Amino acid sequence: MALSVPHHIEASGLMAQSSAFEWGDDPFECQREVPRLEKDISPLFGRAILALATAMAEWVIWPLSHGKDPLFTDYIEACWAAVVDRRYLRHASSEFPFQAGEFYELPPGVGTAEDLWQPGQTLDRLKGPQFVALYLIELIVDVTTPVNDGSMEAVNVSNLAEQVTNKSAAFKAWRRTILQRLTEHHRM
């Protein structure tokens, strides 16, 4: 089943805008702390954090790919399925594969997100942010185990979405609403 553009992203107007965000020579610049946001995310159950991060990654994927590159949309779809069962995502992060393997039986020889791009592609203005989003979600999939939560990595996905959407008011309002809903229903 192919994913379609989420209504809230389509309604934001970001799909029609040209991408005017900055993308420099450090594609992983989004990996920085935002203590207030991490404090809001960390009380959630791990799978709720994974769902939140996947939804935030869609704010990066859809405006940049318009759903035309199945590499990104298929990966996002697998991440949504991984919210239900980790084994639906047949990738493991190169940083935390031991954590996922401790709790979930993964097939031998699973790939990593880094296998999906060629050297230098993370510097590309359109594909780079999408590859970084996949990489960050892969980390979250592997650290949202019964002993960890992935909140810090989810903050990084939020930072990336803010960067790509130019701190869109629509994204921030959506994130605030979703965090309230997740806190109400999926708090540990």
Side-chain angles (χ1 to χ4, degrees):
M1 175 172 110
L3 292 178
S4 57
V5 182
H7 176 69
H8 55 272
I9 295 175
E10 198 164 36
S12 73
L14 291 169
M15 297 291 289
Q17 293 177 3
S18 63
S19 303
F21 62 93
E22 291 192 27
W23 193 250
D25 58 357
D26 180 7
F28 297 95
E29 177 184 323
C30 63
Q31 293 182 311
R32 61 187 184 284
E33 294 181 26
V34 181
R36 182 200 52 77
L37 185 56
E38 187 172 358
K39 181 179 164 271
D40 291 345
I41 294 172
S42 63
L44 301 174
F45 280 108
R47 292 299 166 204
I49 291 173
L50 175 57
L52 172 66
T54 301
M56 289 189 297
E58 287 190 302
W59 284 86
V60 174
I61 303 290
W62 287 104
L64 296 179
S65 75
H66 296 277
K68 293 180 180 157
D69 192 335
L71 170 79
F72 300 111
T73 54
D74 289 354
Y75 198 97
I76 288 292
E77 189 171 17
C79 289
W80 280 118
V83 171
V84 176
D85 188 332
R86 165 61 180 95
R87 294 170 293 183
Y88 283 117
L89 181 64
R90 295 184 171 272
H91 283 81
S93 70
S94 57
E95 294 179 43
F96 302 110
F98 57 91
Q99 278 189 290
E102 223 175 283
F103 296 97
Y104 310 103
E105 189 176 321
L106 300 176
V110 295
T112 70
E114 292 113 298
D115 297 337
L116 301 175
W117 66 74
Q118 301 298 316
Q121 278 190 300
T122 56
L123 298 176
D124 181 273
R125 271 189 101 270
L126 295 178
K127 289 195 176 212
Q130 295 177 83
F131 284 126
V132 172
L134 300 187
Y135 170 80
L136 293 171
I137 293 176
E138 181 181 75
L139 291 177
I140 295 167
V141 168
D142 285 350
V143 298
T144 52
T145 63
V147 297
N148 203 341
D149 67 8
S151 58
M152 182 183 69
E153 293 80 4
V155 168
N156 295 335
V157 176
S158 178
N159 293 340
L160 179 64
E162 281 191 12
Q163 181 180 351
V164 168
T165 65
N166 282 318
K167 298 188 179 197
S168 160
F171 170 71
K172 288 180 174 184
W174 170 86
R175 182 183 63 198
R176 187 173 34 259
T177 300
I178 295 304
L179 273 170
Q180 288 171 348
R181 189 178 308 153
L182 288 172
T183 300
E184 182 180 336
H185 298 289
H186 300 284
R187 188 179 182 95
M188 284 196 276

